[in-house]
Amino acid sequence: ADGRRRDQLVRLVLDVREVIAVRVKIVVAREDPVATDGVLELAVKALRVGPRPAPMTLHCLVGPNWVVTLHKGELDLVEEFNKPLNGETRIGDLNGPAFLSLVLDWQISGYFGVIESLQTEIDELDEELLARSPDKNDLLDRLQALRTRVRKLRNTLSSHREVLGLLSHPRSDALIGAEAVEDYKRLEDRLQQA
């Protein structure tokens, strides 16, 4: 039984490597989600973790039972994704589209963290405006910087809205399977809160 399972895993890895070798050059040049031969290709904007989160394009190839992510530069996707998971999980039981929905949910949570940080800065700005003698030039500069950050964040989120709009469409079950459509609908609803 173990030998047969190992052979299945080796075949899966070889199949995935073949798909990746053919598609990597294509997927990095494409922005719109596409599904061909049972593989979903899409790109979203991920946020690097840190004091000044910066967006970067995260390309995803999703097969029936696997997900491959591609990106330029540092993005500690696996470590950051695994932080909230403790002990034994059944995450390995998920199919590719269901696992991708978890990755995208994690990404959206990252955006919410940045939004909360911006809200805190806006609250601090409000308090300073109510102070007796605020430095108006400094406050205006900070307000302009906050507005710029909000505008960039909204632009960055637009790629998620397009992808989730497609994946949560009632007829998207042909792309991701009927069982994953609800996951993506929930993500689309959550994203609307941003």
Side-chain angles (χ1 to χ4, degrees), residues 140-173:
L140 287 174
D141 289 344
R142 288 175 47 206
L143 179 60
Q144 183 178 3
L146 283 171
R147 285 185 177 168
T148 299
R149 288 173 61 195
V150 168
R151 185 175 58 252
K152 286 180 180 179
L153 186 61
R154 284 186 179 146
N155 288 339
T156 302
L157 279 171
S158 68
S159 68
H160 283 79
R161 285 188 178 100
E162 293 169 17
V163 168
L164 293 176
L166 174 69
L167 295 177
S168 65
H169 189 277
R171 300 208 189 265
S172 66
D173 60 344

Side-chain angles (χ1 to χ4, degrees), residues 31-52:
E31 290 294 323
D32 298 327
V34 171
T36 51
D37 300 326
V39 177
L40 177 64
E41 304 168 10
L42 59 95
V44 294
K45 297 291 184 182
L47 286 178
R48 285 191 187 106
V49 178
R52 287 296 236 181

Side-chain angles (χ1 to χ4, degrees), residues 15-134:
D15 289 346
V16 170
R17 286 182 68 186
E18 181 179 324
V19 168
I20 292 169
V22 170
R23 296 179 187 242
V24 163
K25 291 180 182 174
I26 297 170
V27 74
V28 295
R30 180 180 289 143
E31 290 294 323
D32 298 327
V34 171
T36 51
D37 300 326
V39 177
L40 177 64
E41 304 168 10
L42 59 95
V44 294
K45 297 291 184 182
L47 286 178
R48 285 191 187 106
V49 178
R52 287 296 236 181
M56 68 184 312
T57 302
L58 178 66
H59 301 277
C60 302
L61 298 172
V62 184
N65 293 308
W66 52 268
V67 174
V68 175
T69 59
L70 308 162
H71 53 84
K72 292 181 181 177
E74 280 190 45
L75 178 65
D76 204 348
L77 185 66
V78 174
E79 184 178 316
E80 288 299 317
F81 180 76
N82 283 328
K83 273 184 183 178
L85 303 176
N86 295 319
E88 292 290 318
T89 68
R90 297 191 58 200
I91 204 160
D93 293 342
L94 297 174
N95 64 22
F99 183 77
L100 178 66
S101 75
L102 286 178
V103 171
L104 294 177
D105 189 38
W106 168 75
Q107 279 294 300
I108 291 170
S109 293
Y111 282 98
F112 284 152
V114 173
I115 289 168
E116 288 173 16
S117 172
L118 288 171
Q119 184 61 48
T120 299
E121 289 184 50
I122 291 169
D123 291 344
E124 291 169 0
L125 188 64
D126 283 345
E127 288 178 24
E128 288 182 42
L129 282 170
L130 296 173
R132 290 197 171 179
S133 56

